[in-house]
Amino acid sequence: MPTETAASGPTPPSHTRREFLANVLLSLGAACGLGALAFRMAQFLYPVVPPVKRVRVLAGKLDQIPPEGAIILKLALGPVILEKVGPKVRARSAICTHLGCIVQWHPEVREFICPCHHGIYNFNGDVVSGPPPRPLERFSTTIVGENVFVWMKSR
Amino acid sequence: MDEVTVKPGRTNRLTRWLWKRIPVDPELLRKPLREPLPVHLEGWLCCLGGTPFMLFCIMAVTGILLTFYYVPYPQDAYNSVSHITYSVRLGWFIRGIHKAAAQLMILTVLLHTIRVFGTRAYRKPRELNWVLGVALLMTTLAFAFTGYSLVYDQLSYWATVVGTNMIGALPLVGKPLLYLFRGGPEVNPNTLSRLYDFHIGILPTVMTLLLIGHFALVRLHSVAPLEGDARHETYPFFPDHVLRESIIGLLVLIGLVNYVLFFPPGIGSPATPAHTPGVIRPEWYFFPSYRWLKLTSLQVGIWGNLLFVLGLFLWPFIDAGFEKLAPGRQLGRVVGSLLFLLTLVFLVWEAIVG
């Protein structure tokens, strides 16, 4: 940078512009570098999520299900509600669609009630009152002899 | 600096030895101590700021002691907490102080926030300090949430499930954030590790940085004048204010120790992922949010919470807007007080009705 005496004029504009451009380039470079670092750190932290697959799980026996009621079975892949509807067996997830707690069967009112935020589902799994946004998730079932199999999601 | 000028006749050999090796200007240390504070701070209500800081120091010490025994893996977490509470010498005491100090810290942070809100100490040019203060409040609540989840008993486990599912319910960013936070789609051993990392690593760092910023801004701006207080007298930070804060600190310690002696900590039944307990609730400081979630649909529930927090952060600017809208009518104070009352109503409602 040229030295200036008190009598000389203001700094020539080209120097200021050069400094400005240099600052901008440095900032851009720093942003790219830090951005790349942050991105790689986020990649590291983000968990490896295996794909979902459908598996057939042995839930229980036909005679475990009460004739006019429901039973909640705690399977390895999650809690499942089994009900008899005529000759068929209906299966639903017992996980509340609001914020993930497990519902409880109340036979006296024939409703599933979630203890966390008082979401209430009827016998069909539809929301009757409270904050749950969706009915309880349905699963397909297969009956082989006395055994009830439920198709569930697994990772 | 070649040689520090030392006042002759007032220093001993040790002090001179130290000053040669740590050449700090003694005036730099003495000046903050002499800081003049306005006399309205002599009221006990205005000593509420230092108390959460003292409690944070107590939490840090007891927390570090607890890490010597705590194991952040699902089956072992519960057993290690049980071991601390029932087997380790004075473990019940250290854990009890940690738990009780946490509750008291949240209470005092809230009281301090209410005091600053009531005295409108956040007005220009102190708005950024309010933002830092709200960030400190949120960090304190995050500490409470992550710490509570580490016990891994039933209430602790299900609090983690519900709390993380709330993050997951956000549109677009919900699922990636949920997976990032949980370390997977479901609550798994990685979730506990991550909560532990937040509790002992990330949050203490964030808290320390925020505290430095908060204290720095208070000192740079000096304490906010009290509206309607025409007094101009001041009193020194040291020893007057420090003495007052020390008395409060001692009272807090006495209170904590006695509380833990009469109500030692316990532990619930171990976490059972297959069964949600029939009676489940978060801690009292989350009651307003919990009641709101029960009353509204999922999205309204979550967005309501987010907007409330955003409003809290931006309050000085909102208040300034109200002031422009209706000058001198204290509209901001009215609206803010109503919202505060509503929060209190939700809290009491949840506490009584459940």
Side-chain angles (χ1 to χ4, degrees), chain A residues 42 44-47 49 74 79 97-104 115-118 130-131 133 155, chain B residues 158 161-162 165-166 176 179-180 183-185 194 273-278 280 290 293-294 296 298:
Chain A
F44 171 78
L45 289 174
Y46 198 81
V49 181
K74 312 290 164 73
T97 56
H98 180 227
L99 287 171
C101 296
I102 300 174
V103 301
Q104 290 166 349
C116 288
H117 304 93
H118 290 299
R155 289 187 187 270
Chain B
W158 288 104
V161 168
V162 171
N165 270 330
M166 281 174 70
Y179 284 17
L180 203 67
R194 287 174 187 226
H275 172 70
T276 308
I280 181 165
Y290 188 57
L293 278 169
K294 276 196 206 169
T296 55
L298 180 62

Side-chain angles (χ1 to χ4, degrees), chain A residues 32-62:
Chain A
C32 287
L34 287 170
L37 185 67
F39 177 67
R40 291 299 176 196
M41 280 170 76
Q43 270 191 318
F44 171 78
L45 289 174
Y46 198 81
V48 176
V49 181
V52 178
K53 39 184 206 293
R54 272 183 87 223
V55 293
R56 200 177 76 153
V57 176
L58 172 64
K61 300 261 183 238
L62 269 175

